[in-house]
Amino acid sequence: MDNDQITTRSQIKNDLDPQEMLRVIFDYAAKIANERVLENVLMLMADMGREMIVSDRCTVWLLDKSKNELWSKVAHGLDEIRIPSTAGLVGYAVTHDKAVFIDDAYTNEQYKTYLLNGALRTDQQTGYRTKALMVIPFRDSQGEIMGAYQAINKLTECQQFSDKDMEYLTLASSYAGKSLESALLTNEIEATQKEIIFRMGEIGESRSKETGNHVKRVAEYSYILARGLGMSMEESELLKIASPMHDIGKVAIPDSVLNKPGKLTDEEFKLMQNHTVIGYNLLKNSNRHILKTAAVVAYEHHEKWNGRGYPRGIKGEDIHIYGRITAIADVFDALGSERVYKKAWDLDRILQLFTEERGEHFDPQVVDVFFEQLPAILHAREQYADSALEDSADVQ
Ligand SMILES: [Fe+2]
Ligand SMILES: [Fe+2]
């Protein structure tokens, strides 16, 4: 392959004149400032960079320090790409805090090893011809390197990136930096919230020696049931995040009761039942959607359709739909899992029970959806099986 192929494939363009440059900057700066979704910010930044310096391709890479990885999003709908933070030319630029220019990747000697691992290998797989390459690290407001711009193939006649191009990309990253940082922060906060909720749920369960993936599976089943009942994706997702907290109130139940091998006395059973009320009281005063949902789930997951559940003995549709869904999800998983005090039930026996308890313990409509969605539910059960856990030795 040679230079001609680049010039014939993409027509030769000119660098932007100052007016065009301003238009691009204004256009994108406004769009980016209004964007809260991280992946959209990344893609807008990439488009902005590509237009400013007239390159064929442009990618924005972010440094994930917790994992020592660089990641990027190249297109909507596609998964993110992740590479070790020292890999390829981007890794080199980020770890050495150095901008890299290459006029022709195929003849460059200085960065040959990085190129062989990166651009050249990709070319082999895709048939693309990388010629000019530029990588510019950029910093956050604390001055720490947070990622890099990578541009491939200059579409002007000279086919090479210049110092001016570097300045433009640096400019682009400084325009986008604030939005990028705030989108990153939002992302981090949301991920942290989900994780905390999940961990709290695990605490409740581990106190009662539930198996490792129980809360994960209950979350998945709840989501499938909610969707099957016609709930929106958002609401189903909400329930999925909140349902792992159903037993959070168990943190306050004494071990002697929680893990008693034999039958509980009436008094102990009363105490045990109280985990629903305790969980509810822990969560109910929050204004947060997720925690409010979790409060309902904690309070009502032991209520029964026929009114014979606890703590309040409410019945039918007086029980919140979140409670009715989680009840099925929780019981299905508990019966199917082995415990210190019992073997796992086989599937037929569980399904038999659900048929019998349709309209008794469980909301008949949710039971119907459960049977409709059984393939998806069994798939989730397999996906989050306890045997898939590495530390299965901890599992009872
Ligand atoms: Fe419970
Ligand atoms: Fe549970």
Side-chain angles (χ1 to χ4, degrees):
M1 284 196 263
D2 57 33
N3 303 357
D4 293 345
Q5 219 169 331
I6 300 163
T7 43
T8 47
R9 194 170 52 191
S10 357
Q11 70 190 116
I12 297 174
K13 293 183 178 169
N14 293 320
D15 273 319
L16 301 189
D17 64 34
Q19 241 171 346
E20 290 169 318
M21 183 63 79
L22 274 181
R23 181 193 56 76
V24 170
I25 292 174
F26 279 131
D27 265 18
Y28 280 100
K31 279 189 212 159
I32 290 171
N34 289 321
E35 187 56 65
R36 286 285 162 271
V37 179
L38 182 57
E39 69 176 63
N40 295 346
V41 174
L42 284 181
M43 277 183 284
L44 282 168
M45 279 179 76
D47 290 347
M48 178 186 190
R50 196 186 57 211
E51 285 193 37
M52 283 170 86
I53 63 170
V54 196
S55 71
D56 189 32
R57 295 180 176 185
C58 195
T59 314
V60 176
W61 293 86
L62 286 182
L63 188 59
D64 181 342
K65 285 183 185 143
S66 66
K67 293 188 178 142
N68 275 328
E69 285 176 339
L70 283 154
W71 69 275
S72 180
K73 191 95 185 176
V74 280
H76 281 285
L78 284 186
D79 283 343
E80 56 186 47
I81 335 167
R82 280 186 172 266
I83 57 171
S85 63
T86 50
L89 218 50
V90 184
Y92 175 85
V94 165
T95 38
H96 292 79
D97 187 6
K98 201 172 156 193
V100 177
F101 288 85
I102 288 172
D103 290 339
D104 188 343
Y106 285 39
T107 56
N108 183 283
E109 286 297 322
Q110 192 183 356
Y111 297 109
K112 200 169 179 178
T113 38
Y114 298 101
L115 287 164
L116 283 173
N117 273 324
L120 299 188
R121 195 195 299 162
T122 318
D123 279 10
Q124 250 179 7
Q125 290 158 356
T126 60
Y128 188 77
R129 164 63 160 104
T130 300
K131 188 171 169 11
L133 237 163
M134 175 169 71
V135 184
I136 316 279
F138 57 83
R139 296 161 183 287
D140 61 19
S141 50
Q142 314 292 311
E144 303 246 341
I145 291 187
M146 69 185 301
Y149 252 116
Q150 177 189 39
I152 299 179
N153 287 349
K154 178 89 176 170
L155 299 178
T156 60
E157 184 142 29
C158 78
Q159 299 187 7
Q160 281 163 21
F161 293 112
S162 64
D163 285 349
K164 266 256 154 305
D165 291 329
M166 177 175 113
E167 277 171 37
Y168 287 136
L169 279 196
T170 309
L171 199 66
S173 61
S174 69
Y175 280 130
K178 274 254 163 334
S179 308
L180 190 58
E181 281 183 68
S182 85
L184 265 172
L185 187 62
T186 311
N187 229 36
E188 172 73 16
I189 291 171
E190 279 172 7
T192 308
Q193 284 172 338
K194 286 184 189 169
E195 166 117 15
I196 290 174
I197 289 168
F198 189 76
R199 297 281 166 224
M200 283 171 71
E202 278 189 334
I203 295 170
E205 297 291 357
S206 66
R207 293 237 33 235
S208 60
K209 299 276 195 305
E210 286 285 354
T211 55
N213 271 348
H214 170 67
V215 289
K216 254 189 205 135
R217 289 189 298 261
V218 169
E220 294 296 326
Y221 304 155
S222 300
Y223 180 84
I224 294 167
L225 292 172
R227 290 295 285 155
L229 282 161
M231 275 185 202
S232 69
M233 203 117 97
E234 289 74 27
E235 194 176 8
S236 308
E237 182 69 25
L238 183 70
L239 183 61
K240 176 179 168 174
I241 299 169
S243 59
M245 301 193 76
H246 59 272
D247 275 340
I248 184 70
K250 284 186 181 166
V251 293
I253 309 295
D255 268 339
S256 55
V257 175
L258 214 49
N259 296 317
K260 185 175 169 181
K263 213 174 163 354
L264 299 180
T265 64
D266 282 355
E267 201 180 319
E268 286 166 339
F269 191 49
K270 275 249 142 51
L271 232 125
M272 175 71 177
Q273 290 183 336
N274 213 24
H275 79 273
T276 51
V277 180
I278 294 167
Y280 175 65
N281 286 332
L282 270 175
L283 298 162
K284 67 170 185 202
N285 291 325
S286 168
N287 283 321
R288 299 284 150 214
H289 239 65
I290 295 174
L291 297 187
K292 273 196 177 318
T293 305
V296 172
V297 168
Y299 204 17
E300 303 191 2
H301 72 283
H302 287 288
E303 297 291 0
K304 292 184 179 175
W305 182 257
N306 61 15
R308 297 201 196 115
Y310 66 86
R312 287 181 293 166
I314 50 176
K315 60 155 87 169
E317 290 184 358
D318 288 344
I319 309 164
H320 196 288
I321 186 65
Y322 298 160
R324 283 179 268 149
I325 290 175
T326 315
I328 290 191
D330 192 27
V331 170
F332 175 68
D333 196 65
L335 291 178
S337 311
E338 199 172 304
R339 295 284 183 279
V340 247
Y341 48 85
K342 71 161 183 62
K343 283 246 165 278
W345 285 27
D346 63 40
L347 187 62
D348 284 346
R349 191 169 163 209
I350 301 174
L351 298 185
Q352 176 66 32
L353 177 102
F354 275 35
T355 312
E356 285 163 18
E357 293 292 337
R358 184 183 181 279
E360 290 299 324
H361 185 158
F362 304 120
D363 177 348
Q365 206 197 338
V366 185
V367 171
D368 292 346
V369 170
F370 172 86
F371 278 103
E372 274 164 36
Q373 300 294 327
L374 194 57
I377 286 174
L378 292 177
H379 179 76
R381 178 161 93 162
E382 197 131 302
Q383 204 176 355
Y384 295 101
D386 290 322
S387 53
L389 282 183
E390 281 164 44
D391 55 346
S392 53
D394 295 343
V395 175
Q396 299 285 322

